[in-house]
Amino acid sequence: MPLNIVSADITTLEVDAIVNAANPGLLGGGGVDGAIHRAAGPALLEACRRLPESSPGVRCPTGEARITPGFDLPARHVIHTVGPVWHGGTHGEPMLLARCHRSALRLLREHGLRTIAFPAISCGIYGYPVALAATVAVATLRDELDHEEAIGITLCCFSETVRSVFQRALDMALRGGEPFSAT
Ligand code: AR6
């Protein structure tokens, strides 16, 4: 199945799982996290509250993922992951962002699910430059698709501007080039 890039509100997508760009507490927040909680209804917060803490206040460390039902969403499940906060790129941000995508796909497979939509993890409040995040997301997801053809992945961007950046990263990856070289 292909890797699709769309411009949409992720809470409207009818897929097996949408990914939430959450924070380690998993008790909601702004951005896509807030939108998902509003659309899923209060049962989502209760489900998140029931997830065990690995340390005080931490239900999902950066780079890991947790799954809950989707409740009132058209998506059957929500896979919550926590992207890295951008600190200039020298604090393991690309590795952690790649790990988010891999962790979410691992949960998808473990639950026998087939279709998943990702937002632009870390590209909002967490400040990751969109072009750099797009390169990591596209490379990681294409690598995963090489090993698992039976899943369908949608990259769901919240604006046409962000969608075009992700599309460019994918086009360049398909051509085997550097996505944002100076030339
Ligand atoms: N559908 C799709 N994408 C969306 C939507 C939506 N409904 N709403 C926003 N985006 P952000 P982060 C885009 O800030 O950077 C929260 O408070 C948005 O335009 O949601 O990982 C969490 O609790 C951007 O491109 O997530 C954390 O504290 C992308 O989603 C923190 O924000 C990600 O932006 C996580 O920050």
Side-chain angles (χ1 to χ4, degrees):
M1 275 192 252
L3 174 58
N4 291 314
I5 303 178
V6 301
S7 170
D9 177 349
I10 202 167
T11 65
T12 66
L13 299 186
E14 292 183 32
V15 285
D16 291 340
I18 60 170
V19 175
N20 183 16
N23 61 65
L26 294 189
L27 298 183
V32 71
D33 193 4
I36 288 172
H37 274 271
R38 280 192 298 278
L44 180 60
L45 183 60
E46 286 314 307
C48 287
R49 234 186 259 287
R50 283 194 295 273
L51 292 169
E53 292 181 337
S54 56
S55 60
V58 176
R59 292 179 181 79
C60 184
T62 302
E64 295 189 14
R66 304 287 184 266
I67 191 166
T68 65
F71 300 103
D72 294 344
L73 287 162
R76 288 162 57 204
H77 298 84
V78 180
I79 294 178
H80 309 260
T81 189
V82 180
V85 177
W86 180 256
H87 288 298
T90 55
H91 292 74
E93 293 96 329
M95 179 266 293
L96 290 167
L97 186 60
R99 195 177 288 168
C100 288
H101 293 83
R102 289 210 165 87
S103 302
L105 290 176
R106 190 177 315 119
L107 273 182
L108 190 82
R109 283 192 287 267
E110 283 171 7
H111 286 77
L113 308 175
R114 302 277 292 269
T115 55
I116 185 167
F118 285 87
I121 299 167
S122 287
C123 290
I125 293 163
Y126 280 180
Y128 210 120
V130 176
L132 299 181
T135 305
V136 172
V138 163
T140 307
L141 295 176
R142 287 188 73 230
D143 184 56
E144 292 277 331
L145 281 170
D146 278 350
H147 302 103
E148 174 64 89
E149 291 175 354
I151 56 174
I153 301 177
T154 300
L155 275 163
C156 179
C157 304
F158 203 37
S159 69
E160 185 53 33
T161 308
V162 172
R163 194 203 64 77
S164 68
V165 175
F166 273 75
Q167 187 65 54
R168 183 169 177 210
L170 177 59
D171 292 345
M172 293 304 287
L174 291 171
R175 273 185 247 137
E178 289 297 318
F180 294 98
S181 64
T183 53

